[in-house]
Amino acid sequence: LARGPPPPPAELAKELEFPDAPSTDYNARPPPAGADAITRATTDPEALATCEAHVAELQSLAKRGEISIADAVNLAVLEEMLRDPTTVCHAEDLQAGSSYNIPKLTQQTFGKLRGADEIIDEGHFLGKAIGEGMNGYRPIVEMMNTNFAIYAMAEISSAGNTFATTGGQFQMPLTIVGAGGTAPNQALGAEHSQPFHAYIMGIPGLKIGAAASPDAAYGMTKSMIRDNGPCFLFLPVKMMKETKGHAAVGECMPINKCKL
């Protein structure tokens, strides 16, 4: 039996590495049909108005060069959730904005199904996100600290391998974002400061990025949310609120290049 089937073509592994090519231009990716009407039909008008006012305020800060890394990610998350009603968000302390305001106003605007305040069990809610990704949703998972994702290593590995192991039958649009770091002045103690990058670098099918400016954090977050495969964005933990600058409002950034 083992000798019977022909071997798979050599190029198949490369074809099944990512649903979207690394060079994808995410600015050209349209929202789902009827997205705006669905969002407005399923969202409380007052809550939506509050969210849109908050988004406008953050966009103004971005244009003036006064937005922080944390607020830039929050802006990207809210813009994408307003743009695409299949986008959902999971985080611990979500309704309070978590530690860095990344999921701020998600639950207050979109409700508990699209903005899920999670228990302290990273494997649990990342596993939920995997199920959503396989069933037509576009989940965003904030790790309050990226090192906590060690409790979800099996789920991260599964997310990275899903497209290949199902022969391309299941895409896995999943964005994991969180702060962490081990550089000087970026550590937060033993359990918060492991270099988690090294843990996940060997997982196939996973796109990994790091941002150290509001512009990069904003643009990469938007691109990763629109990508049809799993992405992981690392942010500098002690620069989240203090580092401020411009962000190109409305622009997705390439995630296959670095900026020096």
Side-chain angles (χ1 to χ4, degrees), residues 123-161:
H124 165 77
F125 60 84
L126 190 49
K128 286 169 61 178
I130 288 174
E132 290 169 340
M134 294 180 72
N135 284 279
Y137 291 89
R138 198 167 289 277
I140 306 160
V141 176
E142 189 231 6
M143 293 291 166
M144 191 178 291
N145 189 286
T146 54
N147 298 275
F148 299 160
I150 195 170
Y151 298 108
M153 278 299 299
E155 288 77 12
I156 297 172
S157 176
S158 178
N161 283 280

Side-chain angles (χ1 to χ4, degrees), residues 19-260:
D20 293 335
S23 59
T24 298
D25 179 6
Y26 299 97
N27 292 298
R29 179 152 289 170
D36 184 64
I38 293 171
T39 296
R40 295 190 180 280
T42 57
T43 308
D44 177 74
E46 185 175 345
L48 185 59
T50 299
C51 178
E52 289 175 333
H54 176 65
V55 166
E57 180 182 356
L58 293 183
Q59 289 175 339
S60 178
L61 290 174
K63 293 173 183 177
R64 299 201 308 265
E66 299 173 3
I67 195 168
S68 66
I69 292 175
D71 284 343
V73 178
N74 176 233
L75 174 59
V77 168
L78 291 176
E79 285 180 342
E80 293 303 307
M81 292 187 75
L82 287 167
R83 175 183 180 274
D84 184 346
T86 67
T87 305
V88 298
C89 187
H90 300 267
E92 297 162 346
D93 286 341
L94 176 138
Q95 63 178 338
S98 191
S99 292
Y100 304 104
N101 281 342
I102 286 174
K104 183 178 179 178
L105 288 186
T106 54
Q107 187 178 97
Q108 291 87 338
T109 305
F110 305 104
K112 294 182 179 180
L113 290 178
R114 291 189 63 197
D117 199 341
E118 298 292 356
I119 61 173
I120 303 176
D121 185 345
E122 288 74 14
H124 165 77
F125 60 84
L126 190 49
K128 286 169 61 178
I130 288 174
E132 290 169 340
M134 294 180 72
N135 284 279
Y137 291 89
R138 198 167 289 277
I140 306 160
V141 176
E142 189 231 6
M143 293 291 166
M144 191 178 291
N145 189 286
T146 54
N147 298 275
F148 299 160
I150 195 170
Y151 298 108
M153 278 299 299
E155 288 77 12
I156 297 172
S157 176
S158 178
N161 283 280
T162 294
F163 185 66
T165 56
T166 63
Q169 296 181 79
F170 284 94
Q171 296 182 341
M172 182 54 67
L174 165 65
T175 302
I176 306 170
V177 59
T182 56
N185 300 319
Q186 288 297 310
L188 288 176
E191 291 191 3
H192 292 61
S193 303
Q194 301 172 81
F196 193 69
H197 312 59
Y199 284 84
I200 63 172
M201 288 292 288
I203 297 176
L206 192 64
K207 293 178 181 176
I208 304 168
S213 70
D215 190 44
Y218 172 80
M220 292 178 71
T221 298
K222 289 179 75 71
S223 292
M224 289 184 171
I225 293 172
R226 296 187 191 187
D227 192 276
N228 287 315
C231 302
F232 202 128
L233 180 62
F234 289 92
L235 302 167
V237 67
K238 289 192 176 179
M239 296 168 61
M240 294 293 286
K241 297 180 180 179
E242 290 76 15
T243 300
K244 298 182 179 181
H246 288 90
V249 173
E251 293 295 319
C252 296
M253 183 173 288
I255 57 177
N256 67 328
K257 299 179 181 180
C258 67
K259 187 174 184 179
L260 302 178

